[in-house]
Amino acid sequence: MNAVTPQATIRVMLVDDHMVVRIGFRMLLEATTDICVVAEAEDADSAWREYQASRPDVVLMDIGLAGANGVEATRRILAREDGARVLALSSHEDPSYVRAMMRAGALGYVSKRSAPEELLAAIRQAAQGRRYLDAHVSRRMAMHEFEAQSPVEALSEREFAVFVELARGMTVNQIAQAMNISPRTAGTHLYNIKQKLCASNGAELTLIAIRHGIIEP
């Protein structure tokens, strides 16, 4: 995919499982003169289909998708199209989420608390193939460097994605189906996650996720 020139219209695909949120972002983006929304998707599967059909310059990816989350959706797109430019958008500012999205291949990370101007700047940067972390996230990342490392940081990209869904209450079989992996593979991830986080059951995983701000209580 070629870099977008500053004068070109930046074609964006919105990925969020809430229609009202997508409508809001569409209105914001299309109020500009250089950005337009060419596709929308509500989950990981439709995200890849819509990407193929529309070939956007930037994918604005919400992390909190139902089923396979935004980390997994990003990984799927970039596994098939390594030139894709994905910009993560989330209400979560925990460094674990940021690192997971960056490991999955996202170019940047923007908090939903950011000003509209910052989101627009992030999209324009991503369209040029440049990395972008908004001010809120950069501050959290900087502060995290002075704190003890969270055990969640030890999880691989795929383990983190499985961990988030386990913490939300999904079963191993449900995760396997959502992520297109075998139940045995999902079970292996569960075992490794428990070992790394020193957790013995799903309830403890949920508490760890809440404690680190990964899911809402």
Side-chain angles (χ1 to χ4, degrees), residues 9-10 12 29-37 120 123-124:
T9 299
I10 301 170
V12 173
L29 300 183
E30 295 196 335
T32 67
T33 59
D34 62 334
I35 301 173
C36 69
V37 176
L120 299 177
I123 291 172
R124 290 167 182 138

Side-chain angles (χ1 to χ4, degrees), residues 180-193:
N180 293 326
I181 57 178
S182 70
R184 182 176 180 179
T185 299
T188 298
H189 287 315
L190 171 58
Y191 175 81
N192 292 336
I193 291 165

Side-chain angles (χ1 to χ4, degrees), residues 67-205:
N69 63 25
V71 176
E72 178 68 14
T74 298
R75 188 194 65 79
R76 290 184 191 179
I77 290 175
L78 284 160
R80 295 162 171 155
E81 179 59 68
D82 59 8
R85 300 186 181 96
V86 179
L87 181 64
L89 180 69
S90 178
S91 57
H92 300 288
E93 298 174 10
D94 187 276
S96 300
Y97 266 114
V98 181
R99 290 191 175 93
M101 282 300 290
M102 293 304 194
R103 285 197 296 264
L107 274 175
Y109 198 104
V110 182
S111 168
K112 286 185 177 179
R113 297 197 307 168
S114 298
E117 294 76 15
E118 187 147 28
L119 173 61
L120 299 177
I123 291 172
R124 290 167 182 138
Q125 287 275 80
Q128 296 296 317
R130 299 172 184 165
R131 293 194 176 277
Y132 190 96
L133 286 179
D134 79 14
H136 289 293
V137 173
S138 295
R139 252 191 319 271
R140 288 293 300 271
M141 295 288 285
M143 291 175 61
H144 189 71
E145 294 301 320
F146 294 97
E147 299 171 354
Q149 185 181 37
S150 162
V152 177
E153 299 293 334
L155 300 180
S156 69
E157 170 202 323
R158 180 56 68 87
E159 287 169 350
F160 182 80
V162 172
F163 166 60
V164 172
E165 302 310 332
L166 287 168
R168 288 174 173 167
M170 288 182 70
T171 67
V172 167
N173 286 337
Q174 288 172 330
I175 291 171
Q177 183 176 14
M179 295 189 174
N180 293 326
I181 57 178
S182 70
R184 182 176 180 179
T185 299
T188 298
H189 287 315
L190 171 58
Y191 175 81
N192 292 336
I193 291 165
K194 286 181 175 179
Q195 292 296 305
K196 290 181 179 180
L197 300 185
C198 298
S200 58
N201 54 48
E204 290 184 5
L205 292 176

